[in-house]
Amino acid sequence: MTFKLGKQAAKPSPKRVNVSSFFDIHTPPKTMTRDGINPRPLMLMNDTLGDCTSAGIGNYVRAVCAVNGYTMAINDTQALKFYEDSTGYTPSDPTTDKGGIEVDVLAYALIHGYPMAHDVIYPKFATLGELDTRHLALSLEAFDAVYLGVQLAEADQTEGTWDTTTPGNQTPGSWGGHCCVLWGYEGLADDDTIYILTWGKIQRATWRWLASRIDEAHILNIRGIQPPCKYYKWQELEKELYKQAGL
C-alpha cells in the first residue's frame, strides 16, 4: 500500500492560543493505553492525495467521540470536499495537490465547519507552546487526542514501530511533512511506545521518535462532545478560544 503525506511547513498563527499557559500543574498519567476503546481511524483518501490535514481532523473527531462513548461517521467524499475548500485543491488539476498548512486548515474549519456524515462541526483550536512529553501527555489527558504535525524521515517508510534507532535515513523531513493524531501511550520514558492514528491504522512509535519529528501540535475543542477537564483552567481557555473565533 502506498501512503501520501501533505503537511506544509508549520507557521505561526495570529489566532492561536498557547494552551500550555492554561495548565494546572500536575503529573500526567503514567500510561494511557485506551484499553477497550477503538478509535476506528480511516484512510480518508490519504493513500492517493496529500490530504492528511483533512483526514487528521476527521480521525481526531472520531477518536474523541470514541473516548466519550459516541460514534461519528465520515466518508471520503466529505474529507475530499474539505480538502478542496481548505487548501484550494482541484481534482481536475493534480498540480494543486500540495497539502495544507495546519493552522490555516484549522482556522478554516473553525469558521466554515468540517463536514461529517450527519453534521458539520466547528472545532475551536489551540496550539501547544511546549512540545515535550509532559505537555503532550497532559493535553492528551485533557482533550482525548492531539493534532500533530511531524517531519517524517525516509526511515519511517519501513514497517514496524517508528523509532530513531531503525535503519535508514533518520533526517527529519527527508520523507516530508505529515499530519497525524496522538492517541495514547504505554509510559512516559523516551523509549516507551506511543500510539498514533494515521493512514487508517494505529501506528506505534516512541516518545523519542516524536521528539525528533514533531514541529507543531494543536488541541481541538468540540463542544457538546468533550466534557471539561479538571486539570485545565477550562473556563479561561474556552473564553480565549471563543474570543479567537470571534464569538
Side-chain angles (χ1 to χ4, degrees), residues 72-92:
M72 191 170 286
I74 182 173
N75 59 38
D76 287 354
T77 300
Q78 288 135 11
L80 174 60
K81 180 65 166 61
F82 181 80
Y83 180 50
E84 294 175 17
D85 293 344
S86 63
T87 69
Y89 170 64
T90 303
S92 61

Side-chain angles (χ1 to χ4, degrees), residues 18 29 38 46 103 120 154 162 164 171 197 226 231 243-244:
N18 186 348
N38 186 354
N46 199 203
V103 293
V120 177
E154 290 177 348
W162 284 342
T164 56
T171 304
L197 308 182
Q226 293 164 295
Y231 296 124
K243 179 180 177 182
Q244 159 196 289

Side-chain angles (χ1 to χ4, degrees), residues 40 42 44 54-65 71-79 81-82 112-123 222 225:
R40 296 180 174 85
L42 300 174
L44 297 175
S54 174
I57 296 177
N59 283 318
Y60 188 112
V61 173
R62 286 171 59 82
V64 169
C65 287
T71 57
M72 191 170 286
I74 182 173
N75 59 38
D76 287 354
T77 300
Q78 288 135 11
K81 180 65 166 61
F82 181 80
H112 301 283
Y114 186 88
M116 304 295 285
H118 305 293
D119 199 1
V120 177
I121 63 167
Y122 296 83
I222 308 168
I225 297 177

Side-chain angles (χ1 to χ4, degrees), residues 174-228:
S174 55
W175 184 5
H178 188 50
C179 174
C180 50
V181 177
L182 180 62
W183 165 247
Y185 56 88
E186 295 181 1
L188 295 169
D190 286 349
D191 59 351
D192 280 332
T193 298
I194 63 175
Y195 308 139
I196 290 174
L197 308 182
T198 185
W199 297 316
K201 64 181 180 179
I202 300 176
Q203 171 69 45
R204 297 168 72 89
T206 64
W207 281 116
R208 67 187 169 204
W209 173 89
L210 185 56
S212 170
R213 306 296 197 261
I214 191 169
D215 64 354
E216 58 185 312
H218 316 274
I219 57 90
L220 280 60
N221 173 226
I222 308 168
R223 202 168 196 182
I225 297 177
Q226 293 164 295

